[in-house]
Amino acid sequence: MNALNIKQGATSHSAYNLRSTYGDENERHTLAIIVENQPGVLARVIGLFSGRGYNIESLTVSEIDHESHTSRITVATTGTPQVIDQIKAQLGRIVPVKDVHDLTVEGPSVERELALFKVAGTGDKRVEALRLADIFRANAVDSTLESFVFELTGTSEKIDAFAELMRPLGLVEMARTGVAALSRGQD
């Protein structure tokens, strides 16, 4: 450091600009990974994340083409831009991986998640749970005298908000599918 407290190479006027072009903040990204549907492929993809200490917030997998035996793995993860780039590069090197798309940076996309909520309560709490379910457009898929099971589809934020409102009304249990996502438009 010099008298001006400027790190060497930290100014854009330096011929040796050493400043990172990436941010240091964690970002959430949704990755769509097209793979050959073979035994062990999911384990290899997940092993890449766990072996390097990357977090998976959401994971969904399903076969998308029976004839070509192709599956789609949708992973929601967080990390710095450098970490996300590293994840994409390393995923691309796995042999059964056909394609990796970062839906977060490739343009507009649609993300949805399905959740089931078991809410137990009587009296006013039961009425309030039904009223909130109607506002959120949740379907009551099961009902007893003491509880409901609601089905809700939407963004992760919508599901989180519904869960927070149901907690004081008697939320007993919740199951979530994870994010399913597709890019918008013709591509």
Side-chain angles (χ1 to χ4, degrees), residues 1 5 13 20 34 43 65 68 121 149 167 176 186:
M1 300 270 268
N5 290 331
H13 302 293
S20 173
I34 309 301
D65 189 353
S68 67
V149 174
R167 281 190 213 298
R176 297 174 79 154
Q186 294 180 1

Side-chain angles (χ1 to χ4, degrees), residues 69-96:
H69 302 288
T70 306
S71 292
R72 180 184 184 100
I73 301 172
T74 305
V75 177
T77 187
T78 56
T80 63
Q82 301 98 316
V83 167
I84 300 297
D85 285 346
Q86 186 177 23
I87 290 171
K88 292 188 293 189
Q90 291 172 347
L91 283 170
R93 289 188 205 113
I94 298 175
V95 172

Side-chain angles (χ1 to χ4, degrees), residues 84-114:
I84 300 297
D85 285 346
Q86 186 177 23
I87 290 171
K88 292 188 293 189
Q90 291 172 347
L91 283 170
R93 289 188 205 113
I94 298 175
V95 172
V97 172
K98 293 182 174 186
D99 209 359
V100 178
H101 296 280
D102 187 347
L103 299 178
T104 306
V105 298
E106 289 182 5
S109 63
V110 177
E111 293 186 10
R112 292 293 181 265
E113 187 174 356
L114 172 74

Side-chain angles (χ1 to χ4, degrees), residues 36-74:
E36 295 175 16
N37 193 7
Q38 300 174 353
V41 173
L42 179 60
R44 291 178 69 187
V45 170
I46 301 312
L48 181 143
F49 281 83
S50 65
R52 289 163 180 81
Y54 304 145
N55 188 38
I56 295 175
E57 291 185 1
S58 170
L59 173 72
T60 58
V61 184
S62 184
E63 188 174 53
I64 57 173
D65 189 353
H66 298 296
E67 292 177 14
S68 67
H69 302 288
T70 306
S71 292
R72 180 184 184 100
I73 301 172
T74 305

